[in-house]
Amino acid sequence: MPERRTVALVTLGCARNEVDSEELAGRLEADGWQLVEDAADADVAVVNTCGFVEAAKKDSVDALLEANDLKGHGRTQAVVAVGCMAERYGKELAEALPEADGVLGFDDYTDISDRLQTILSGGIHASHTPRDRRKLLPISPAERQESAASVALPGHAPADLPEGIAPASGPRAPLRRRLGGSPVASVKVASGCDRRCSFCAIPSFRGSFISRRPSDVLNETRWLAEQGVKEIMLVSENNTSYGKDLGDIRLLESLLPELAAVDGIERVRVSYLQPAEMRPGLIDVLTSTPKVAPYFDLSFQHSAPDVLRAMRRFGDTDRFLELLDTIRSKAPQAGVRSNFIVGFPGESESDLAELERFLNGARLDAIGVFGYSDEEGTEAAGYEKKLDEDVVAERLAHISRLAEVLVSQRAEERLGETVRVLVESVDEEEGVHGRAAHQAPETDGQVLLTSGAGLSVGRMVEAKVVGTEGVDLVAEPLTGSLACSEEAGR
């Protein structure tokens, strides 16, 4: 019997890319490939790249070069780029980075096994010429579902597949193979974006917004629960638009309770929310549904009206603060995070002061700050009144320092609170770490439990916050909580 072909998937960027990698893994395993963790142990290293901002693109190139260095020193014979950067640049990336043996776009995903076999056999698969993926679906959202079958939508593979295509849970098994044993998994509810923010190129290479059907999202969640997942995080470019192309902009409000009721799921988290699209019914569901985290990942980006208009966005400091007051009036412990761009073309000192006013009043749990840089193909790249790079760097450093102080203060406000912690790591030296409802994976800090007796990864523990370390919390499991956790694990 010939030795099985081996492949390693290296994933960069956001949680959406992680879902795409697991779909690729499912397709490859179904066609006989053996998945390995270390690129050095693989015949082919597949790097799922990020193409969002310059720093992410550099990280992607570095990962491709690092994988290329393995060739000739071990098993690795080929390095292939997939993902957003590969889709966005296609032939241009292939020409600029000859170290990559292949550059595959989203349209290649359904035939990923054949593509890799061709490359591994010494053949050449021509890199695609990038195109504006917004033009692949009808302008009207109501007409998109009929055309969806003809457009590559990574992470949208149906969850009703023939026996043998995925693990043993039967027809609801998605075309997905988990890469790792974390008790948390992301689930795509949609792809693409209809917003036209002047700084963002994502719609051009991810396409127009299109929702997955609720049945597929539910079935994938059930399958993940069977794999031991305790928390799911709903991801897309804009979750607040979910359902608009299915005839019901309030579809997320009805889907969330169904997801929370899936046997084995302990927490449902929603990410990527647009402040301008928040509606009272969605706030009510997010703040009152058992097992749905009162968590708001709100994309504010700035709060000065003139800057927001130049960004092709809506809102201002007072409206944003009013939104946060509404959320906290319904769920005082709600978690809120956001990202901000400083140094946007035309941003004045008074605009920066307005952003500071918002940040000081917002009590955000996590804050990401980025300095503006031109992204090719975006409207803002052609704007006048660009700020000098040193001014952008100075403002970035200033707001970043402020953000660090503010999130530490917000953590201190949680002293004495009772939090429900999902255990994610247990280590004799490092201790027991997990996350509370206001903390998303990777971005929002974590909780260190003062006692971990009887705990294992995937357990939920009630704990009282007794200390802070910057944005992180230190919490003491409540009496009886560990005993209940131990009983649940038997």
Side-chain angles (χ1 to χ4, degrees):
M1 180 180 295
E3 188 176 8
R4 292 181 71 187
R5 302 160 296 178
T6 57
V7 60
L9 285 143
V10 179
T11 306
L12 293 94
C14 64
R16 301 185 294 272
N17 256 16
E18 294 172 7
V19 176
D20 294 352
S21 284
E22 293 196 348
E23 181 185 304
L24 290 174
R27 292 182 182 279
L28 289 166
E29 188 170 68
D31 202 44
W33 290 76
Q34 180 180 347
L35 298 162
V36 296
E37 291 186 16
D38 194 335
D41 298 327
D43 296 317
V44 184
V46 177
V47 180
N48 192 349
T49 60
C50 178
F52 180 37
V53 294
E54 200 61 40
K57 288 183 277 190
K58 182 181 182 304
D59 288 343
S60 296
V61 170
D62 289 345
L64 287 163
L65 293 175
E66 182 178 342
N68 182 71
D69 288 342
L70 297 172
K71 291 191 292 188
H73 300 285
R75 179 161 183 158
T76 308
Q77 301 174 50
V79 175
V80 175
V82 299
C84 291
M85 189 176 180
E87 173 63 35
R88 184 176 181 184
Y89 295 104
K91 290 182 177 179
E92 182 181 343
L93 177 62
E95 293 169 0
L97 196 71
E99 291 85 353
D101 299 284
V103 175
L104 306 181
F106 297 151
D107 293 332
D108 292 307
Y109 281 20
T110 55
D111 299 310
I112 186 67
S113 178
D114 290 342
R115 300 289 187 264
L116 296 191
Q117 186 58 56
T118 295
I119 294 168
L120 189 59
S121 301
I124 297 175
H125 176 70
S127 302
H128 71 288
T129 300
R131 53 182 172 166
D132 188 341
R133 297 190 72 86
R134 290 172 293 190
K135 298 178 180 179
L136 301 182
L137 290 169
I139 294 175
S140 170
E143 299 175 4
R144 289 176 190 165
Q145 290 290 328
E146 294 182 5
S147 305
S150 62
V151 177
L153 297 169
H156 282 233
D160 188 11
L161 297 164
E163 183 178 354
I165 201 77
S169 54
R172 68 166 173 248
L175 187 55
R176 178 172 180 173
R177 198 270 203 187
R178 295 215 68 208
L179 299 172
S182 170
V184 184
S186 296
V187 177
K188 270 196 181 181
V189 297
S191 286
C193 186
D194 288 341
R195 301 185 71 88
R196 293 296 179 262
C197 300
S198 63
F199 56 83
C200 183
I202 288 176
S204 66
F205 56 86
R206 277 291 184 179
S208 298
F209 184 90
I210 186 164
S211 306
R212 291 182 76 193
R213 296 201 171 270
S215 57
D216 285 342
V217 177
L218 269 167
N219 285 336
E220 186 164 333
T221 298
R222 294 186 182 111
W223 177 79
L224 288 167
E226 291 173 356
Q227 310 305 304
V229 169
K230 299 299 181 184
E231 175 180 326
I232 61 164
M233 184 166 72
L234 304 186
V235 299
S236 73
E237 278 72 23
N238 177 10
N239 281 331
T240 32
S241 284
Y242 179 70
K244 72 175 186 179
D245 53 317
L246 294 171
D248 186 0
I249 191 59
R250 295 176 296 278
L251 197 55
L252 186 59
E253 286 94 307
S254 58
L255 178 61
L256 283 170
E258 294 186 72
L259 294 171
V262 170
D263 189 31
I265 295 298
E266 294 292 336
R267 181 183 290 156
V268 178
R269 183 183 305 278
V270 182
S271 62
Y272 305 111
L273 300 170
Q274 286 292 339
E277 297 181 33
M278 290 301 295
R279 47 196 180 268
L282 180 55
I283 294 174
D284 288 342
V285 170
L286 287 170
T287 54
S288 65
T289 308
K291 294 189 178 182
V292 173
Y295 175 80
F296 294 80
D297 176 11
L298 294 163
S299 177
F300 290 120
Q301 301 298 346
H302 212 284
S303 72
D306 288 345
V307 176
L308 286 168
R309 301 306 172 268
M311 289 179 169
R312 303 294 184 202
R313 298 177 66 83
F314 306 94
D316 56 48
T317 294
D318 292 331
R319 275 190 275 182
F320 289 164
L321 291 176
E322 182 180 348
L323 171 61
L324 295 178
D325 286 343
T326 299
I327 290 169
R328 290 178 175 132
S329 71
K330 298 175 180 294
Q333 292 186 345
V336 186
R337 82 167 320 275
S338 192
N339 293 323
F340 300 88
I341 298 173
V342 297
F344 195 79
E347 182 191 59
S348 65
E349 291 285 356
S350 61
D351 292 330
L352 193 68
E354 185 68 1
L355 175 58
E356 289 187 56
R357 182 169 80 88
F358 172 69
L359 291 173
N360 278 302
R363 296 169 55 226
L364 302 178
D365 292 277
I367 299 171
V369 187
F370 302 88
Y372 173 80
S373 62
D374 286 339
E375 275 296 311
E376 57 192 287
T378 63
E379 182 183 354
Y383 281 179
E384 298 179 351
K385 299 182 180 180
K386 299 279 179 64
L387 303 185
D388 291 340
E389 289 185 5
D390 58 345
V391 174
V392 175
E394 181 181 342
R395 293 183 180 185
L396 173 61
H398 172 64
I399 296 298
S400 296
R401 287 192 297 269
L402 175 62
E404 186 175 352
V405 171
L406 292 175
V407 296
S408 296
Q409 290 176 353
R410 177 65 183 129
E412 291 171 0
E413 290 181 20
R414 293 192 180 275
L415 286 169
E417 284 187 2
T418 297
V419 292
R420 195 161 182 252
V421 180
L422 174 63
V423 176
E424 292 188 317
S425 66
V426 178
D427 186 274
E428 289 185 6
E429 295 183 3
E430 300 293 330
V432 178
H433 289 86
R435 288 178 300 100
H438 69 280
Q439 297 168 317
E442 307 293 337
T443 59
D444 301 346
Q446 58 184 351
V447 178
L448 170 64
L449 293 173
T450 59
S451 173
L455 288 180
S456 59
V457 171
R459 299 286 182 86
M460 280 286 190
V461 182
E462 300 285 336
K464 180 179 180 180
V465 180
V466 297
T468 65
E469 297 177 359
V471 71
D472 298 329
L473 304 181
V474 180
E476 179 180 327
L478 297 177
T479 303
S481 179
L482 291 179
C484 291
S485 183
E486 289 176 3
E487 185 65 30
R490 291 195 181 107

